[in-house]
Amino acid sequence: MAAAKKAVLGPLVGAVDQGTSSTRFLVFNSKTAELLSHHQVELKQEFPKEGWVEQDPKEILNSVYECIEKTCEKLGQLNIDISNIKAIGVSNQRETTVVWDKLTGEPLYNAVVWLDLRTQSTVESLSKRIPGNNNFVKSKTGLPLSTYFSAVKLRWLLDNVRKVQKAVEEDRALFGTVDSWLIWCLTGGANGGVHCTDVTNASRTMLFNIHSLEWDKELCEFFEIPMKILPNVRSSSEIYGLMKISHSLKAGALEGVPISGCLGDQSAALVGQMCFQDGQAKNTYGTGCFLLCNTGRKCVFSEHGLLTTVAYKLGRDKPVYYALEGSVAIAGAVVRWLRDNLGIIKTSDEIEKLAKEVGTSYGCYFVPAFSGLYAPYWEPSARGIICGLTQFTNRCHIAFAALEAVCFQTREILDAMNRDCGMPLRHLQVDGGMTNNKILMQLQADILYIPVVKPSMPETTALGAAMAAGAAEGVGVWSLDPEDLSAVTVERFEPQINAEESEIRYSTWKKAVMKSMGWVTTQSSESGMP
């Protein structure tokens, strides 16, 4: 049987999915989009001070090597020949900022994660310099000035870390989001590594003009960022370079395989969910929650607190597509917080059991604004609150309220999206790790009052990166022609409560959100080094 199986497998495509809380490597059959094998490693996050979130870039890189090696081993056990892997795609946590030394290949500081809040005072002083009648930052980038994006993180590193300043002065520094760091390392690092990024990741830095698709001189001058440290911007689907692993690892088996797909994780999920039509949308439940709606080849600017961003550009000569995005900072991270900080669950999956026990939050509401509120408020002064507590409230109610919080935050974004697009979504396509939680999915359908549709293979982020890599010119093993895309089996969750009850719960949640705002008046925790 195994021998026969070995014979029928067509070309395979690998995908590195480097997220905030974990790294995975997955291998797909390019003809059927079937997931053949994968491996996942959870990552540490460091919180050196309140509001600071960091990761070790070397740990991120090593987790990628480990996932590749273990997945190759698993394929071997399945009798699948890894020489069939014809291309590799990369998808990554966006905005997270890395600066490294191009001569030694060493990071010059920890990666400053997208959730990090240390740049609040940087943001405040920069926003005073933007003329009220001409927000050129927003009109060029589609983004509000916020701690979320890379430019302010990079500005902080240049202002506060002597090693970074010195490396820039001596022309040794390279900047990149996680995709750039990984591609540079995987294509040889200090020995000829390729320093590039794609349009989707570039569009999250606040230094990139989403109309001209180039680094913007005026923005770089505004943030005082030297352009020489920025990566080359490429499309999301083309050969960037070949795998060249100086590691002694078995991962060396993929030596010479082209890296030919690169998409920020949310764009990758949009592609993986096949949202190629104007008006199609998906919501990904990861560390944060991200709802993207494809707006086609036109930039739609939001009146309701959403971001305008690059959805994808699937080839050097292919057109660019745009999206409206609603970003929620804390989704899966609230479950991790209940596990690691409060200890009321031992594993992330346990939250479903607790919530099921009570089936209601019993009037308890949780606003997990640990990093301020993102869309649609963009309110950095907000902090997390749990309210409506009584003597009756127990950990099950808090667990239920945490899941509800994810759903309410999505509802706020969906409302904003519907107002901006003028075309209410009739159902919501979902993906990401948290979608395995059936209680969460049912709650989401109840709170949105529309069906929630989940593909049977929830790894759509990795799938999107694999599709981009396999479809690249010079690889050509994956067809993006709608006729050739295999139909996906889905699970549907229909709303089960009455609309009135749904509305009451939602309006009470909004009351709780108002109470979460204005907690932080002056940022005391961000000056100086840890």
Side-chain angles (χ1 to χ4, degrees):
M1 177 65 214
K5 188 172 180 187
K6 202 166 181 174
V8 294
L9 277 182
L12 312 180
V13 179
V16 173
D17 178 4
Q18 205 299 299
T20 317
S21 51
S22 69
T23 299
R24 310 194 214 358
F25 183 69
L26 306 91
V27 173
F28 296 92
N29 179 331
S30 68
K31 295 294 173 243
T32 61
E34 178 196 359
L35 173 60
L36 299 175
S37 185
H38 67 102
H39 188 75
Q40 174 168 352
V41 172
E42 192 169 309
L43 288 171
K44 284 205 293 289
Q45 289 172 11
E46 297 170 32
F47 306 99
K49 291 188 179 188
E50 192 203 338
W52 292 32
V53 190
E54 295 180 3
Q55 284 176 323
D56 175 356
K58 295 290 276 279
E59 188 198 342
I60 291 175
L61 177 64
N62 288 329
S63 72
V64 170
Y65 286 136
E66 185 183 341
C67 288
I68 291 177
E69 186 180 343
K70 291 282 199 293
T71 305
C72 287
E73 275 173 23
K74 290 177 185 177
L75 289 169
Q77 288 157 9
L78 294 168
N79 221 355
I80 295 169
D81 188 349
I82 58 175
S83 69
N84 281 341
I85 297 175
K86 300 302 181 202
I88 290 170
V90 174
S91 116
N92 57 289
Q93 48 171 319
R94 305 169 303 169
E95 300 96 15
T96 295
T97 299
V98 188
V99 181
W100 67 95
D101 185 320
K102 67 181 174 193
L103 302 181
T104 63
E106 290 298 310
L108 295 163
Y109 190 77
N110 269 346
V112 180
V113 177
W114 57 276
L115 283 166
D116 186 281
L117 288 177
R118 77 187 66 186
T119 53
Q120 193 45 49
S121 62
T122 312
V123 168
E124 282 162 16
S125 62
L126 284 168
S127 57
K128 293 193 180 90
R129 292 175 34 210
I130 298 180
N133 57 353
N134 169 22
N135 188 341
F136 66 96
V137 176
K138 188 153 193 212
S139 58
K140 286 179 181 222
T141 65
L143 310 172
L145 193 55
S146 158
T147 57
Y148 180 18
F149 307 107
S150 317
V152 288
K153 301 178 192 302
L154 184 49
R155 184 65 259 148
W156 186 91
L157 290 168
L158 291 165
D159 287 338
N160 293 282
V161 183
R162 183 65 197 124
K163 268 172 86 172
V164 172
Q165 295 161 352
K166 199 164 171 337
V168 170
E169 286 158 17
E170 295 170 8
D171 206 14
R172 290 182 288 111
L174 296 179
F175 151 80
T177 39
V178 171
D179 56 308
S180 300
W181 163 242
L182 292 178
I183 291 173
W184 186 81
C185 293
L186 293 173
T187 53
N191 304 314
V194 177
H195 188 217
C196 69
T197 187
D198 89 302
V199 287
T200 66
N201 282 298
S203 77
R204 314 297 293 188
T205 58
M206 267 195 143
L207 301 170
F208 184 72
N209 186 316
I210 60 174
H211 312 286
S212 68
L213 302 185
E214 289 173 336
W215 297 121
D216 189 286
K217 198 162 173 299
E218 188 187 9
L219 290 170
C220 291
E221 282 167 4
F222 176 70
F223 290 104
E224 296 174 55
I225 304 283
M227 291 181 87
K228 63 181 182 185
I229 69 174
L230 304 178
N232 290 319
V233 184
R234 316 269 288 266
S235 78
S236 313
S237 174
E238 60 179 87
I239 295 176
Y240 312 110
L242 307 180
M243 289 282 277
K244 183 165 144 195
I245 298 181
S246 48
H247 243 250
S248 60
L249 289 178
K250 297 187 192 66
L254 298 183
E255 189 86 26
V257 175
I259 299 178
S260 52
C262 177
L263 289 154
D265 51 11
Q266 304 313 322
S267 285
L270 194 74
V271 171
Q273 285 266 31
M274 325 282 176
C275 294
F276 294 126
Q277 304 286 303
D278 195 340
Q280 285 185 302
K282 65 89 206 169
N283 196 28
T284 301
Y285 299 76
T287 298
C289 222
F290 301 89
L291 182 58
L292 267 71
C293 180
N294 188 334
T295 61
R297 290 161 72 168
K298 57 183 185 297
C299 268
V300 176
F301 281 90
S302 171
E303 302 291 316
H304 302 99
L306 304 179
L307 312 176
T308 305
T309 200
V310 174
Y312 51 80
K313 182 183 191 308
L314 294 173
R316 208 175 299 188
D317 306 320
K318 296 283 195 295
V320 65
Y321 281 73
Y322 295 96
L324 271 177
E325 171 171 326
S327 330
V328 167
I330 304 290
V334 73
V335 180
R336 195 167 169 161
W337 182 83
L338 291 174
R339 184 192 74 186
D340 297 347
N341 295 31
L342 289 198
I344 68 171
I345 47 175
K346 284 197 177 60
T347 66
S348 296
D349 304 342
E350 245 176 85
I351 191 166
E352 188 171 3
K353 208 163 79 232
L354 285 189
K356 200 171 181 172
E357 267 177 53
V358 284
T360 167
S361 70
Y362 207 78
C364 163
Y365 287 84
F366 192 156
V367 183
F370 301 156
S371 301
L373 287 166
Y374 283 15
Y377 301 101
W378 298 105
E379 185 45 77
S381 70
R383 285 297 175 273
I385 61 166
I386 304 176
C387 54
L389 301 175
T390 67
Q391 282 165 308
F392 183 72
T393 312
N394 64 28
R395 66 190 189 132
C396 298
H397 299 117
I398 289 173
F400 194 94
L403 293 182
E404 255 187 339
V406 175
C407 300
F408 286 133
Q409 291 182 103
T410 299
R411 163 91 193 253
E412 291 197 291
I413 282 173
L414 197 73
D415 286 358
M417 196 80 75
N418 287 342
R419 289 201 293 272
D420 277 327
C421 293
M423 274 283 292
L425 287 181
R426 289 194 293 276
H427 65 262
L428 183 64
Q429 288 175 237
V430 301
D431 58 78
M434 288 185 90
T435 59
N436 293 327
N437 184 326
K438 287 191 166 27
I439 296 241
L440 177 73
M441 293 295 95
Q442 185 55 54
L443 260 176
Q444 189 66 84
D446 289 346
I447 287 166
L448 296 179
Y449 218 65
I450 56 174
V452 165
V453 180
K454 172 195 169 197
S456 55
M457 201 282 298
E459 300 288 355
T460 45
T461 301
L463 178 60
M467 288 164 68
E473 194 181 325
V475 177
V477 298
W478 205 304
S479 165
L480 298 183
D481 187 340
E483 270 101 82
D484 298 330
L485 293 171
S486 40
V488 186
T489 50
V490 296
E491 192 177 351
R492 276 175 81 89
F493 295 84
E494 302 282 345
Q496 287 176 359
I497 64 173
N498 68 42
E500 192 183 357
E501 188 189 338
S502 182
E503 286 307 316
I504 290 168
R505 275 159 56 180
Y506 181 48
S507 58
T508 315
W509 151 263
K510 290 191 96 137
K511 214 159 81 180
V513 171
M514 290 303 149
K515 293 194 188 313
S516 76
M517 292 188 193
W519 280 96
V520 184
T521 41
T522 53
Q523 228 25 36
S524 54
S525 62
E526 62 181 27
S527 50
M529 295 289 293

